[in-house]
Amino acid sequence: ALDREVRGVAGNAIRGCIQTDAAINPGNSGGPMFDSGGRVVGINTAIISTSGSNAGIGFAVPIDAARRVADKIIRRDMAMADDDANGRPVEGWMGVDVAADSLRDALTASREGEEVSGALILGVAPGSPAEVAGVVPLKLERGKGATMGDVVVAIGNKTIKGAEDVMKDFRGRVTGEVVSLTLLSPDGKRRIVSLTLESRSTAQE
């Protein structure tokens, strides 16, 4: 089975996992999962067992996801100016909140034409890379209701269909990366902005 979600030891959600009933023995975590053709399709990550043995339901991170993270770590060379005290790259931050897809749909339901897809910008942090790049958030005005903000429809060459796509894309991104956003403005026009990710702590100092 594909696209499963499992909780990590720290309680974090690991999404998009491959589920298998093949035995994952102690020490197999971090090792490759092969398909019947001998191709590596994932990295063994966890097992759910009712007996405490290595028989149960196993989960692996898809190899494409593992490769993306590995490539980013290698490219950054663990020597960025914003490295933390342990020498690890700091998570990149652009300074936006995205709305739930249900809110986006409710706000665009009265519009004529095609259904709007993408991630609606709910808020933009002051002084953030997104604010500097001119990203426009949803506005709520007393007596006037809600005024649509920008909708992220692509990051780089990747189409964005909703809020979850933005969160998936930003997992593994680090400070110093330049990100290109394709935005759908409230007037229906598209524009592309580029911004350089910062660390949240640096931006708030």
Side-chain angles (χ1 to χ4, degrees), residues 3 8-9 11 19 22-23 36 40 43 47-48 59 74 76-78 82 100 104-105 121 139 158 174 176 188 193 197:
D3 203 25
V9 293
Q19 180 181 315
S36 59
V40 177
I43 302 297
I47 185 171
I48 297 175
F59 298 91
I74 292 169
R76 294 305 155 196
D77 199 30
M78 306 299 286
D82 284 332
R104 176 207 63 201
D105 293 343
I121 300 297
K139 294 180 181 178
K158 184 185 301 181
V174 296
V193 301
L197 303 183

Side-chain angles (χ1 to χ4, degrees), residues 32-48:
M33 171 184 283
F34 297 96
D35 65 8
S36 59
R39 294 164 297 200
V40 177
V41 295
I43 302 297
N44 295 321
T45 301
I47 185 171
I48 297 175

